[in-house]
Amino acid sequence: MLNIPIKDHFRETRLFNARLSVIGVIILILIFSLLLRLIYLQVWAHRHYETLSQANRIKPIPLQPPRGLILDRNGVILAQNYPVYTLEIIPEQVDDMNSLLEEIGQVVKLNDTDLKNFRKQLRERPRFENLVLRSHLTEEEAARFAVKRPYFNGVELEARLRRHYPLTGLGVHFLGYVGRINEQEAEHLDKAAYRGMEHIGKLGLEASYEKVLLGRVGFENVETNAHGRSLRILERIAPVAGKNLYLSIDAKLQALAEQALGQRRGAIIALEPATGAILAFVSTPTYDPNPFVSGIDPTSYQGLLNDPNKPLINRALNGQYAPGSTIKAFLGLAALELDGFDPNRPVACPGWFSLPPNAHLFRDWKKGGHGAVNLHDAVVQSCDVYFYKLAVTMNIEAMKNFLAPFGFGAKTGVDIFNESEGILPSPEWKAARGQRWYPGETVITGIGQGSLLATPLQLASAMSALANHGIRMKPQLVHAIVDAKTQATQNITPEAYAEIPLKDKHHIDIEVQNLTDVVHSNRGTAYGIGYNAAYKIAGKTGTAQVKSVAQGQSYSEKATPERYRDHALFISFAPVNDPKVAIAVIVENGGHGGSAAAPIARKMMDHVILGSESTPVVKPAEENDE
Amino acid sequence: MDLQRLHLDKTLFFALLGLAAVSLFVVYSASAKDLSATLGHLMRLALGFMVLLLVAQIRPEILERWSPYIFGAGMVLLLAVLAMGVIGKGAQRWLNLGIVKFQPAEIMKLAVPMMLSWFLARGDVPPRLWRLGLSFVMMAIPAVMIVKQPDLGTALLVFGAGTFVLFLGGLRWRVIIILLAIIAVAAPFAWGHLHDYQRQRVLTLFNPEADPLGTGYHTIQSMIAVGSGGVYGKGWLNSSQAHLDYLPESSTDFIFAVFAEEFGLIGSLLLVLVYTFVVARGMLIAYLAKDTYTRLLAGSLSLTFFLYFFVNMGMVTGILPIVGIPLPMMSYGGSSIVTVMAAFGILMSIQTHRKIAE
């Protein structure tokens, strides 16, 4: 301190004192306003508050709003609410909690989980709120308690609304479910909006449309006596019911698709090309969401988790599969767009292909090859060698740039959370992971193998772009949000992505014709479903070498021989002249796309287009099967 | 007994003793005549006064020399608490040292103003820009860490203590205006980056009616308590709001509501005056202090005490949002009483050692 000059010291003191005075004035002003406030409350408004205090036997009690329903396009209910009896306790009205619990236990059975959950709530919730002691009382238990109710202070028998999924596992992967609010969720939600609420959407639409479905909590101001017993209701702000969701899903089609897959693992997306409306959204095996609502017991949950078929995985949304030959539906169009490319020039297919400096042989699925094939034949017969050569001619960058507008490697933007992006690989993509791009990878990308991965939703969405003349619509599950009380309807307008850039739009027609011949020409790989169809179908089969599904490392560990079989794929739309539906089917380890996946698509198309599934699907010889 | 010899400032000491005495009666009433709670409060007060006495013996020069180390130790403890929180997957405020549990955030209420006073005392007045910048970092980092715990109230007090040091240390008006302008511009931007639920919570702070079952209920019940007290009050032990359990947290954050209900406008005015008097005395000690470190520290500690009781009373009377700050000296529980008393110990040390030196 000694080396600071005197002059500075003075200046500093002056400055400090000036600042102290400024703050002094501010403090005086603030204290004065506090005093004014006290005078206002205690003198001016004293009468008002005195009255309130006298009459202060008022307690607010939250009123639970009914959650919005979820219905399919025809009004079939997929998620609803039903009343269950619950036993609830208001802690601040209870003098001796332990003996009360014991006494209740003699009337209604209470197990350890009930008591544990209750004690947990007791610690976390305000003392004036109703806490659930036991839910799902039987009629008999409810009656037994109702008789003895006068002996229990602070205990209420309430009929609460509980979420229920009447069609059990149907569509569980897009519906999701609600469950009890856990601690992490409690941290991140708007407390005021969830007073008295126990449940929150956890997955699927229940989570993604939580805000719409929730509604608004109401409350009652209840007059109580000095012991807190309710006397009468003074004020009631009614809860506002959550809005109902009408889906574009057709529950019948959904059921048909789920049954067609049966016990197999797989996924199906059916959507309307013109609007992006999703008609069916299937992932099998399914599971029953109802146990999750009141809290699934640990054993059942472990059972679902450890099931080798992984029912909890949403294959339609998160399953990332190599598209296999289905990618030719799009690369075929890319070939037509190439400068100086002659689609009619025959290319020799000896059954193998190699990249000159390297001795590695890339094989065709057909031993001996397809002979000389032009683009049309290569698509119809799914010639691999033709597309190996095309891939080399185009190069990986051009393929990536062509496929991106179809939605590969990006979320489709469907209206449920946690969609997977798939992978649209490129040298930059590999470089970002510290790896080199090998020329051979370009070759196999031409037949949809290698790093290229797509979700069933992406495949259906990409196919719908071909059906819709190059305009891809955002896939959408909810088509209207309806206020249950006023019937005010908010329709969701379909959204289009940027039109797929093409030099000549006529090229789509040529490609669609090639894809139609995949199904309807007797050399086509999907002729088995086309020869007796009453309408024209455009499609492409695919067979993908088994790779791990998302999160599926355990697959390889527990692999049985069946698990090493190829995945069967089929992407399609129909009718060709006026497409009503685009469908992507994936059957895990199903073998051939033409025989395992395509017949399922055909059944669904019959349902959508003919309104029946009457036409028998006969399976002819598998000679043409890829 | 010569208080001066014990390094106690007589005026301040008796004011604090008076507040402590009153608080015993209020806690007894607010806790619904819970004798063990009242005794617990008494024990805490006694501990507080012992800490005060102890701290008052430390010469300001020594405090000054220790400042950076105390700050460093405080930061380490804060980090430890945060790390434990991360490992334990939950909010964490307490550090369990085996025998005692304590809250490192409390230390920062003293360590931040000590550190900043030490730092500014080592440079020109008004401080240069780089010093200001560094000071800001030194107060903002602990404040953010405390918000993460999450303890909004304490973070506010720590940040406030730092701000007072900077302001008293001669932060130029120009800079103040620029900072205010930046905040005004940045606020809407930050608002856009908040999560939906965070925005909702901020809105509920300013509009309690939006949450009639939570904070709104607190505010309304506390205003009923204060208002129904009238000019003369309902008398000791007659707070119906607290006794019928309508007023939540009646013996902690909302204890002033019980006081105002029982002792009326006259009692509340007197209480506000005593608190203001304590702050004024602290500011006088700052004014009389002879060097930069002690005057900055004394000023900041006094003003933080003002912030403390003003925010609490403002929230009880419904003019400020509910942020969870107890009324110092008066509220039951918490480790804050010790920190507040240590701060007064520092003030007394600054005052008495100066006099002795003269």
Side-chain angles (χ1 to χ4, degrees):
Chain A
M1 291 295 117
L2 288 177
N3 52 2
I4 291 176
I6 294 292
K7 196 187 148 213
D8 260 1
H9 188 68
F10 273 134
R11 189 173 158 219
E12 194 191 310
T13 309
R14 265 217 340 260
L15 183 68
F16 178 80
N17 292 344
R19 287 296 163 93
L20 210 54
S21 327
V22 170
I23 290 220
V25 172
I26 295 175
I27 286 185
L28 282 182
I29 294 172
L30 290 177
I31 292 286
F32 189 64
S33 56
L34 180 65
L35 294 183
L36 279 184
R37 177 68 176 179
L38 281 169
I39 291 170
Y40 164 78
L41 288 175
Q42 301 193 298
V43 180
W44 186 261
H46 170 59
R47 277 259 175 105
H48 171 64
Y49 286 114
E50 175 66 30
T51 325
L52 283 181
S53 166
Q54 294 284 331
N56 202 350
R57 309 278 183 260
I58 305 165
K59 299 256 165 141
I61 290 172
L63 299 174
Q64 186 193 15
R67 196 174 171 85
L69 308 177
I70 304 180
L71 307 100
D72 91 334
R73 66 189 301 126
N74 300 314
V76 174
I77 292 178
L78 303 177
Q80 64 183 13
N81 312 299
Y82 76 102
V84 290
Y85 287 110
T86 58
L87 208 53
E88 302 183 353
I89 294 185
I90 306 164
E92 67 177 6
Q93 298 177 12
V94 176
D95 296 326
D96 183 352
M97 186 63 81
N98 288 329
S99 64
L100 177 77
L101 290 179
E102 209 167 286
E103 283 165 33
I104 294 177
Q106 287 161 8
V107 183
V108 175
K109 218 178 143 240
L110 299 174
N111 62 30
D112 289 347
T113 327
D114 294 331
L115 290 171
K116 218 182 93 197
N117 282 337
F118 177 72
R119 298 229 177 254
K120 188 160 168 273
Q121 292 183 70
L122 200 57
R123 285 192 301 272
E124 289 166 3
R125 297 284 197 137
R127 287 174 54 76
F128 56 85
E129 255 183 38
N130 291 27
L131 308 182
V132 175
L133 176 61
R134 236 214 70 194
S135 55
H136 291 93
L137 269 71
T138 62
E139 292 279 341
E140 196 206 324
E141 284 176 316
R144 216 171 337 134
F145 181 80
V147 176
K148 304 215 169 165
R149 188 179 190 158
Y151 302 108
F152 295 110
N153 251 350
V155 186
E156 313 263 349
L157 183 65
E158 300 267 346
R160 285 186 158 246
L161 291 175
R162 187 50 54 87
R163 197 61 155 175
H164 181 62
Y165 305 97
L167 305 180
T168 58
L170 187 99
V172 61
H173 290 101
F174 66 80
L175 270 180
Y177 50 79
V178 301
R180 281 182 196 278
I181 298 173
N182 65 28
E183 261 171 68
Q184 283 110 304
E185 285 157 343
E187 283 264 308
H188 291 269
L189 51 77
D190 173 11
K191 285 193 178 113
Y194 282 86
R195 295 271 171 222
M197 301 295 287
E198 288 177 74
H199 291 92
I200 191 168
K202 299 270 183 182
L203 264 185
L205 291 170
E206 291 275 28
S208 308
Y209 284 87
E210 172 65 21
K211 272 202 175 149
V212 178
L213 291 166
L214 173 66
R216 208 170 60 232
V217 176
F219 67 93
E220 266 173 3
N221 276 330
V222 177
E223 185 180 343
T224 59
N225 65 17
H227 301 294
R229 217 139 186 28
S230 306
L231 297 178
R232 66 190 169 109
I233 297 163
L234 297 175
E235 188 191 6
R236 188 172 194 274
I237 306 291
V240 179
K243 291 186 174 143
N244 297 342
L245 298 184
Y246 279 82
L247 309 185
S248 50
I249 291 282
D250 176 351
K252 272 192 193 150
L253 183 68
Q254 177 83 19
L256 177 82
E258 288 182 7
Q259 278 155 22
L261 274 174
Q263 295 303 308
R264 292 177 287 182
R265 297 173 303 281
I268 299 173
I269 295 287
L271 45 78
E272 208 173 66
T275 59
I278 298 179
L279 303 176
F281 184 113
V282 179
S283 171
T284 54
T286 62
Y287 60 96
D288 182 4
N290 287 304
F292 286 88
V293 176
S294 43
I296 188 166
D297 66 283
T299 339
S300 314
Y301 186 58
Q302 282 303 321
L304 282 173
L305 271 183
N306 298 333
D307 185 333
N309 286 333
K310 302 279 173 206
L312 294 179
I313 289 179
N314 190 336
R315 292 176 162 82
L317 192 70
N318 306 120
Q320 306 190 88
Y321 301 89
S325 297
T326 60
I327 203 70
K328 294 172 189 165
F330 311 101
L331 292 180
L333 179 60
L336 292 166
E337 287 276 300
L338 273 187
D339 287 324
F341 186 88
D342 180 3
N344 295 319
R345 193 174 68 86
V347 172
C349 168
W352 57 268
F353 171 78
S354 71
L355 217 50
N358 209 311
H360 183 79
L361 287 187
F362 298 92
R363 300 191 177 278
D364 197 284
W365 63 272
K366 193 171 181 183
K367 264 196 186 141
H370 301 266
V373 285
N374 60 16
L375 177 63
H376 171 271
D377 299 339
V379 171
V380 169
Q381 301 173 27
S382 200
C383 168
D384 287 341
V385 172
Y386 192 94
F387 280 91
Y388 289 146
K389 288 183 178 166
L390 175 68
V392 174
T393 315
M394 279 186 80
N395 210 344
I396 185 64
E397 284 297 334
M399 280 194 283
K400 182 194 142 214
N401 292 339
F402 187 82
L403 291 175
F406 284 92
F408 288 96
K411 297 189 178 195
T412 64
V414 69
D415 48 341
I416 35 181
F417 294 152
N418 300 329
E419 183 185 359
S420 297
E421 286 181 356
I423 295 170
L424 181 55
S426 65
E428 298 86 67
W429 174 82
K430 276 203 95 180
R433 276 151 192 77
Q435 291 166 315
R436 226 190 99 203
W437 183 265
Y438 296 99
E441 292 182 76
T442 305
V443 177
I444 56 173
T445 304
I447 62 158
Q449 299 284 358
S451 305
L452 182 64
L453 293 178
T455 66
L457 187 59
Q458 284 176 323
L459 288 175
S461 174
M463 194 58 171
S464 73
L466 288 183
N468 204 31
H469 305 293
I471 296 172
R472 194 164 63 89
M473 305 300 292
K474 192 179 87 140
Q476 181 77 23
L477 280 159
V478 173
H479 87 83
I481 298 173
V482 179
D483 187 312
K485 201 168 170 194
T486 62
Q487 292 299 314
T489 304
Q490 178 200 344
N491 284 310
I492 310 282
T493 2
E495 278 176 57
Y497 285 107
E499 191 173 347
I500 287 160
L502 292 176
K503 286 172 196 151
D504 184 351
K505 284 200 74 177
H506 181 58
H507 287 153
I508 288 196
D509 300 332
I510 299 174
E511 177 62 13
V512 167
Q513 184 53 53
N514 293 347
L515 293 174
T516 309
D517 288 343
V518 168
V519 182
H520 295 279
S521 96
N522 60 6
R523 304 212 60 181
T525 51
Y527 182 58
I529 65 159
Y531 76 98
N532 62 351
Y535 47 88
K536 290 279 187 210
I537 304 168
K540 184 71 198 76
T541 56
T543 303
Q545 287 163 18
V546 166
K547 300 206 137 206
S548 56
V549 185
Q551 307 118 14
Q553 289 92 328
S554 58
Y555 268 66
S556 46
E557 289 169 21
K558 296 190 175 179
T560 58
E562 193 231 338
R563 301 280 157 125
Y564 288 125
R565 274 188 231 153
D566 293 339
H567 293 334
L569 289 88
F570 186 61
I571 61 173
S572 55
F573 64 84
V576 169
N577 51 1
D578 177 24
K580 293 264 189 296
V581 62
I583 299 181
V585 179
I586 286 177
V587 184
E588 283 187 18
N589 316 111
H592 297 295
S595 56
I600 299 176
R602 167 69 193 280
K603 266 194 198 170
M604 294 173 68
M605 285 170 173
D606 282 355
H607 175 90
V608 174
I609 296 160
L610 308 174
S612 72
E613 39 186 302
S614 53
T615 332
V617 180
V618 184
K619 215 161 83 176
E622 288 192 11
E623 199 233 318
N624 286 337
D625 219 45
E626 185 190 337
Chain B
M1 191 165 54
D2 190 357
L3 291 174
Q4 181 72 39
R5 225 186 249 140
L6 287 170
H7 293 291
L8 295 178
D9 177 64
K10 207 193 294 172
T11 325
L12 193 50
F13 184 73
F14 282 122
L16 293 177
L17 218 52
L19 279 178
V22 172
S23 77
L24 283 174
F25 288 94
V26 188
V27 166
Y28 181 68
S29 171
S31 64
K33 305 184 198 171
D34 183 344
L35 208 58
S36 70
T38 315
L39 277 177
H41 186 62
L42 180 65
M43 296 301 288
R44 278 208 183 76
L45 283 172
L47 178 67
F49 274 101
M50 265 154 62
V51 169
L52 183 152
L53 195 63
L54 230 71
V55 174
Q57 311 311 312
I58 306 171
R59 302 179 62 80
E61 300 87 67
I62 296 176
L63 277 179
E64 181 168 8
R65 218 175 303 144
W66 285 358
S67 296
Y69 304 110
I70 295 177
F71 180 78
M75 285 300 289
V76 170
L77 291 174
L78 262 190
L79 270 173
V81 164
L82 269 190
M84 269 169 49
V86 171
I87 296 162
K89 279 184 184 166
Q92 194 86 46
R93 296 180 189 184
W94 301 86
L95 207 57
N96 199 341
L97 297 181
I99 323 161
V100 271
K101 280 199 330 184
F102 87 117
Q103 235 172 320
E106 286 293 325
I107 295 186
M108 290 325 252
K109 283 189 200 161
L110 301 177
V112 165
M114 283 170 83
M115 180 68 201
L116 293 194
S117 303
W118 176 87
F119 187 60
L120 291 191
R122 261 138 202 84
D124 298 334
V125 171
R128 287 161 193 270
L129 215 54
W130 71 269
R131 268 184 191 275
L132 282 179
L134 207 57
S135 309
F136 183 79
V137 170
M138 284 190 291
M139 60 195 252
I141 288 180
V144 167
M145 283 164 74
I146 296 169
V147 167
K148 288 246 172 210
Q149 287 188 355
D151 186 350
L152 186 61
T154 307
L156 185 75
L157 290 173
V158 168
F159 197 79
T163 312
F164 290 135
V165 176
L166 292 189
F167 183 76
L168 294 173
L171 179 62
R172 286 174 198 279
W173 287 109
R174 231 184 357 209
V175 180
I176 296 175
I177 291 169
I178 291 173
L179 282 179
L180 287 177
I182 289 175
I183 291 172
V185 173
F189 183 73
W191 183 251
H193 276 257
L194 286 180
H195 287 290
D196 234 16
Y197 77 94
Q198 288 170 324
R199 271 188 232 173
Q200 255 327 311
R201 285 189 188 175
V202 175
L203 287 178
T204 314
L205 271 187
F206 292 102
N207 179 23
E209 278 84 29
D211 185 8
L213 301 159
T215 48
Y217 180 77
H218 287 210
T219 307
I220 291 161
Q221 292 300 330
S222 130
M223 274 161 59
I224 290 178
V226 175
S228 67
V231 176
Y232 303 105
K234 295 177 180 171
W236 186 48
L237 295 179
N238 286 335
S239 160
S240 63
Q241 289 299 101
H243 299 154
L244 291 180
D245 253 358
Y246 286 97
L247 183 64
E249 319 257 356
S250 56
S251 54
T252 55
D253 288 4
F254 283 87
I255 199 161
F256 180 60
V258 178
F259 180 90
E261 185 180 359
E262 295 187 347
F263 300 103
L265 181 63
I266 295 176
S268 331
L269 287 186
L270 276 173
L271 192 71
V272 172
L273 282 184
V274 175
Y275 272 103
T276 313
F277 176 77
V278 168
V279 173
R281 182 71 192 171
M283 287 169 74
L284 180 71
I285 291 173
Y287 172 77
L288 295 173
K290 286 297 175 216
D291 63 56
T292 316
Y293 174 77
T294 50
R295 65 167 54 130
L296 286 182
L297 183 57
S300 164
L301 291 178
S302 318
L303 296 176
T304 309
F305 185 75
F306 168 74
L307 190 67
Y308 221 137
F309 85 79
F310 183 78
V311 169
N312 177 275
M313 290 184 176
M315 130 190 149
V316 168
T317 51
I319 49 176
L320 290 178
I322 294 182
V323 286
I325 290 184
L327 185 59
M329 305 287 303
M330 202 64 61
S331 288
Y332 170 74
S335 54
S336 65
I337 236 173
V338 177
T339 326
V340 169
M341 293 304 232
F344 283 119
I346 294 176
L347 279 175
M348 295 197 179
S349 156
I350 290 171
Q351 170 75 345
T352 54
H353 286 93
R354 176 183 59 79
K355 278 198 181 163
I356 288 170
E358 279 169 4

